[in-house]
Amino acid sequence: MVKVTYVAADGTRTEVDAAVGSNVMQTALDNDVDGIVGECGGAMMCATCHCYVDEGWTEATGTRRDGEDDMLDCAADEVKPVSRLSCQIKLTEELDGLVVHLPEEQV
């Protein structure tokens, strides 16, 4: 298990345990974290799982995958250099303690 902290737009922090091999989106949905919708179920067909990776974790989570930029163009909130689709961030032991920030709007 690894820990993931979701920081809502209002600053509220929610820390959850996540299974290695899961992804940031599914972990949020499984734990009823407000701010992640995941309409497409992680198929990278929408941007309702848009998140901002905390700057201390951008290197560990890596760069955007092919197709993420296209989907982020549809994001409801501002796209920043640290923007990612949370469905594309697979959780590994190296990501224990990961912090992601959630935008104000998803849809």
Side-chain angles (χ1 to χ4, degrees):
M1 298 295 269
V2 297
K3 296 234 183 263
V4 179
T5 300
Y6 299 86
V7 182
D10 69 2
T12 304
R13 299 172 75 86
T14 304
E15 184 179 283
V16 300
D17 291 318
V20 170
S22 185
N23 63 52
V24 173
M25 178 205 75
Q26 192 60 53
T27 298
L29 296 177
D30 290 348
N31 290 280
D32 298 319
V33 174
D34 287 333
I36 298 283
V37 178
E39 281 184 356
C40 74
M44 202 165 59
M45 299 296 294
C46 70
T48 61
C49 69
H50 176 211
C51 71
Y52 304 114
V53 175
D54 190 86
E55 292 192 11
W57 288 94
T58 55
E59 189 172 318
T61 56
T63 58
R64 294 179 187 155
R65 310 239 187 283
D66 287 342
E68 272 190 81
D69 284 320
D70 293 335
M71 288 298 102
L72 285 168
D73 284 343
C74 302
D77 215 337
E78 177 186 4
V79 175
K80 302 175 182 179
V82 295
S83 288
R84 291 289 307 271
L85 296 177
S86 62
C87 68
Q88 298 301 302
I89 304 172
K90 186 174 181 178
L91 294 169
T92 63
E93 289 182 11
E94 292 76 23
L95 293 180
D96 186 25
L98 175 65
V99 177
V100 294
H101 300 265
L102 305 176
E104 288 188 46
E105 288 185 59
Q106 286 288 19
V107 291

